[in-house]
Amino acid sequence: MSESRDARPAETALIARVRAAARQEQFLEVVSAEEAQARFERHLKLKPLASETVSLADALGRVLAHDVVAEVDAPPFDRSNVDGFAVRAADTLGASDGNPKVFTLNAEVIACGHAPQLTVTGATATTIATGGVIPRGADAVIMIEHTELIDDDGEPRIELRRAAAPGQFVSYAGSDIARGETLLRRGARIGSREIGMVAACGRASIDVVRKPRVAVLSTGDELVEPGEALRPAGVYDSNGAVVAAAVAEAGGEPVAYGAFPDDAQQLEQAVRKALANCDMVVLSGGTSKGAGDLSHAIVSKLGKPGILVHGVALKPGKPLCLGVIGHKPIVVLPGFPTSAIFTFHAFVAPVIRAFAGLPPEAAQTVTARVPLRIASELGRKEFVLVSLIDSDQGPVAFPTGKGSGAVTSFSQADGFLEIEALASALDADSLAQVTLIGSAAQAPDLVIMGSHDVALDAVVGAIAERGHSTRTLAVGSLGGVAAANRGECDLAPVHLIDPQSGAYNKHLVAPGLTLVPGWRRMQGILFRPGDARFEGRSAAEALKAILADPDALMVNRNAGAGTRVLMDRLLDGKKPPGYANQPKSHNAVAAAIAQGRADWGLAIEPVARLYGLGFLPVAPEHYDFLLVESRRERPAVRAFLEALRDTAVRERIVALGMQPAD
Ligand code: AMP
Ligand code: MG
């Protein structure tokens, strides 16, 4: 009785939470990227922070705060460049094989660090080492190799058979660094060469711009620190790590505060502390207007001028929140990893660089053809991350296609292109300006586009050891067929069954393409171990039983996948519960079953093993390569074909659960 009375308030609270979560607050005002930037800059002093003095040993990578003016000459004195004899050039005039000149040696040897005592006068010479101080009276040095010692009982003399010009083999004082010269300009990033110059001037320390201290925080109930075990529904805090590293790359000093749950009190306390201790605060997550999103509400409480922008007409990055408290910037990045790092580079990195005394980063662009149509949302400027491939007709840009929730979209892209807010798409075969990210993409030796497989990494690894770089783009079997036909790749890994004949891949061969056998992968039914509907049965028996069980929930595959064709053949027109759930990879199928979001599906055997699932074999699938014939003789292509036949590589493929095809 008391049970039902207690349940009621809890239930009401739960329903209130559901209602709150379903109600979407709107962004107050969504502004353009340009307007967002302008508002932010209007409230900031974009100047280098004050300077600090550091020892040369700590100066590497820092930014020079003031010009460095040399206080001494280098070399500090006229110096000999060779081992030989200091002379007056006039005394050597006319020396030749037929008319050698004889010089009496002065009673002094000028080694390095020795201040000369004697003056060089007519027809005398003083022995001098490389680096020695040119003595008074001398104006040239003759090399020891060009002289002969007259070795008799008299005083030491040398014989010279060629004339010397004044200044020969002499480095004059200040010829390297002149006293009063500006050696380095403020804003220079200090490398080993700069450190060498400063040391040569006799300085042990140097004034550098203080690095902006940038607090990095993450928020989200789901976040787990890398290194800890992932709990159900947990996600690793990757933003914290990538933002901290990007802060350092932009010239700042990251101060990691870690990940916080979506708890208003805890988060506010941490943000206030960060703001007090640092020059800038970067928080990621909790900026959408969904359930548990608190970040903007916290920023709005911290002081003036407060939030300047919340909502930018950008994709990715719409929920970005920019604020300034006093003169300190505070930014809330969207939680989705690619959105977070994209908006960081667009809005945060330039501010850190300015505080750090670094010039704005110069963007490098290339023009590339985009072979596919890219749809885009009207009203938001869209940035599309792309991989670049060199084709016979110049660079080609492929959207990486993983979306803003992916960490790898940004990390593995070569660059991005922009689709204007007023365009609803970029048409296939358009030319686009691609802004390069990170180190400009080096054209790889081998391009593989198509379906990805774990054993492919074994082959690619083998050719990497032979010095060939490979770019693999996982665009699916059909994407690979299209790329191979367009000549955009060297090899396209495919595993497509011909629905008519039931044979694999042969129907994909077209003029200019040949089929190279790869390996077989056993496809089968995946289930959780212990599930009596599957355990101990054959695939056919299990299938019959589950098709009769309305509680058995399947997970399907996307149209176009080889596994999907096989599934449709197995189901023979039936559409059991879960049929419409169509993830795009073997791993997603296995994860859904392992986590209980589905009971069965089709995938390859190694993946079943990887997720600790049961497996009932159905049929081997052929994973082969379409080879673009015109590229067969390229060294990296030849190396790949050789690696496919290599015993060690084949052993690796077998160890991964595949069967080489021939
Ligand atoms: P939010 O902006 O908090 O609504 O988060 C949007 C999405 O980004 C969710 O899927 C989060 O799990 C993910 N996310 C938020 N913060 C992080 C983080 N620090 N690292 C990785 N993913 C995150
Ligand atoms: Mg969140």
Side-chain angles (χ1 to χ4, degrees):
M1 196 179 78
S2 69
E3 213 175 40
S4 74
R5 223 185 298 146
D6 284 351
R8 204 149 298 142
E11 205 172 290
T12 317
L14 178 60
I15 292 197
R17 265 182 65 203
V18 170
R19 213 181 283 286
R23 191 180 300 122
Q24 166 97 345
E25 261 184 76
Q26 292 306 308
F27 289 95
L28 281 182
E29 179 199 17
V30 175
V31 301
S32 70
E34 294 73 19
E35 171 64 16
Q37 197 115 37
R39 284 191 197 177
F40 201 29
E41 286 179 5
R42 215 175 299 138
H43 289 86
L44 291 173
K45 288 190 183 147
L46 289 179
K47 287 197 325 218
L49 300 178
S51 67
E52 62 186 8
T53 304
V54 295
S55 75
L56 280 195
D58 294 326
L60 189 66
R62 301 298 298 270
V63 177
L64 207 55
H66 309 120
D67 291 353
V68 172
V69 176
E71 287 152 14
V72 295
D73 286 323
F77 45 82
D78 297 349
R79 186 176 68 188
S80 173
N81 285 341
V82 293
D83 289 335
F85 305 95
V87 295
R88 301 194 316 192
D91 298 337
T92 71
L93 225 60
S96 68
D97 282 332
N99 180 29
K101 298 266 174 182
V102 174
F103 291 81
T104 308
L105 292 182
N106 294 309
E108 176 169 40
V109 173
I110 305 173
C112 282
H114 170 100
Q117 305 296 321
L118 304 178
T119 302
V120 174
T121 53
T124 70
T126 299
T127 311
I128 189 165
T130 305
V133 179
I134 304 293
R136 182 181 160 87
D139 55 22
V141 178
I142 52 185
M143 279 173 95
I144 195 160
E145 292 88 335
H146 296 160
T147 62
E148 238 11 284
L149 179 66
I150 302 172
D151 213 0
D152 56 17
D153 291 342
E155 49 186 356
R157 280 159 299 147
I158 51 166
E159 201 178 74
L160 175 73
R161 289 166 188 268
R162 63 172 85 176
Q168 172 178 288
F169 299 129
V170 177
S171 284
Y172 289 102
S175 58
D176 184 358
I177 297 171
R179 187 182 301 203
E181 175 185 303
T182 301
L183 266 190
L184 296 169
R185 305 243 165 235
R186 56 185 270 245
R189 200 145 195 177
I190 300 171
S192 55
R193 297 179 303 170
E194 287 72 19
I195 288 178
M197 289 204 274
V198 177
C201 294
R203 290 173 58 159
S205 62
I206 192 165
D207 289 349
V208 295
V209 178
R210 185 170 70 75
K211 281 190 183 192
R213 284 166 55 82
V214 181
V216 180
L217 299 83
S218 306
T219 173
D221 286 336
E222 73 281 25
L223 298 181
V224 176
E225 298 279 354
E228 286 174 17
L230 206 57
R231 54 176 184 270
V235 169
Y236 281 121
D237 172 16
S238 60
N239 288 353
V242 71
V243 169
V247 163
E249 283 174 347
E253 181 187 319
V255 184
Y257 279 75
F260 296 85
D262 292 317
D263 173 280
Q265 239 182 338
Q266 266 191 61
L267 191 59
E268 182 177 337
Q269 205 179 13
V271 170
R272 282 188 187 277
K273 195 167 142 205
L275 197 61
N277 291 333
C278 296
D279 300 298
M280 184 168 180
V281 175
V282 181
L283 169 63
S284 75
T287 176
S288 315
K289 300 243 165 167
D293 290 334
L294 311 158
S295 301
H296 65 283
I298 290 173
V299 178
S300 70
K301 289 202 282 189
L302 298 175
K304 294 242 171 294
I307 293 178
L308 306 170
V309 173
H310 187 200
V312 185
L314 263 188
K315 189 180 179 186
K318 184 175 175 185
L320 176 71
C321 173
L322 301 174
V324 171
I325 310 297
H327 290 292
K328 290 186 185 179
I330 175 162
V331 175
V332 190
L333 304 173
F336 266 158
T338 284
S339 308
I341 199 62
F342 215 96
T343 46
F344 177 91
H345 282 288
F347 294 91
V348 184
V351 175
I352 299 176
R353 291 183 72 92
F355 285 174
L358 289 168
E361 206 164 26
Q364 261 192 305
T365 61
V366 293
T367 306
R369 188 170 61 80
V370 183
L372 318 163
R373 178 176 186 276
I374 308 174
S376 173
E377 191 180 315
L378 265 182
R380 275 163 83 187
K381 183 195 269 194
E382 179 156 354
F383 294 95
V384 181
L385 289 158
V386 296
S387 297
L388 285 172
I389 294 298
D390 255 350
S391 79
D392 299 339
Q393 288 85 41
V396 182
F398 287 92
T400 56
K402 283 194 184 169
S404 53
V407 181
T408 51
S409 295
F410 192 86
S411 307
Q412 295 176 350
D414 296 315
F416 59 86
L417 53 85
E418 288 181 34
I419 304 181
E420 278 313 315
L422 294 179
S424 64
L426 185 73
D427 289 329
D429 277 327
S430 304
L431 287 180
Q433 283 297 108
V434 175
T435 304
L436 302 178
I437 304 173
S439 58
Q442 273 272 318
D445 301 326
L446 183 71
V447 178
I448 300 178
M449 292 176 68
S451 169
H452 185 260
D453 178 84
V454 281
L456 182 57
D457 296 333
V459 189
V460 168
I463 72 162
E465 274 163 29
R466 283 165 223 176
H468 299 289
S469 64
T470 302
R471 167 68 49 84
T472 41
L473 294 186
V475 294
S477 288
L478 282 176
V481 172
N485 277 299
R486 289 192 301 252
E488 288 159 358
C489 61
D490 302 307
L491 289 151
V494 289
H495 52 96
L496 287 175
I497 193 169
D498 180 359
Q500 262 89 54
S501 67
Y504 273 95
N505 303 332
K506 295 204 173 68
H507 59 301
L508 306 174
V509 176
L513 303 180
T514 44
L515 199 62
V516 177
W519 47 85
R520 310 252 160 100
R521 339 191 278 183
M522 186 52 83
Q523 298 254 42
I525 294 178
L526 270 54
F527 60 94
R528 282 182 300 282
D531 189 332
R533 292 171 292 188
F534 303 91
E535 205 74 80
R537 292 184 160 169
S538 74
E541 288 164 359
L543 194 61
K544 213 167 134 203
I546 43 183
L547 288 179
D549 175 0
D551 287 337
L553 193 56
M554 72 172 285
V555 49
N556 202 353
R557 279 295 307 277
N558 55 308
T563 309
R564 169 62 176 273
V565 178
L566 184 64
M567 178 65 97
D568 282 337
R569 280 170 70 99
L570 282 183
L571 292 177
D572 196 22
K574 295 184 212 48
K575 293 189 172 163
Y579 183 87
N581 182 13
Q582 302 181 359
K584 294 197 179 119
S585 73
H586 294 285
N587 291 46
V589 167
I593 298 166
Q595 293 161 7
R597 285 178 288 114
D599 300 317
W600 70 279
L602 274 185
I604 55 172
E605 188 171 8
V607 171
R609 265 196 246 156
L610 216 53
Y611 287 78
L613 294 173
F615 183 79
L616 307 178
V618 171
E621 176 189 64
H622 297 220
Y623 182 91
D624 301 318
F625 297 90
L626 284 174
L627 167 64
V628 178
E629 268 301 324
S630 60
R631 302 183 174 205
R632 183 189 279 275
E633 293 310 318
R634 293 189 178 191
V637 175
R638 290 197 2 214
F640 186 91
L641 298 176
E642 278 161 28
L644 277 178
R645 314 218 57 83
D646 183 278
T647 324
V649 174
R650 289 164 84 90
E651 278 167 8
R652 283 274 301 137
I653 292 172
V654 171
L656 287 163
M658 320 294 175
Q659 208 49 54
D662 56 354

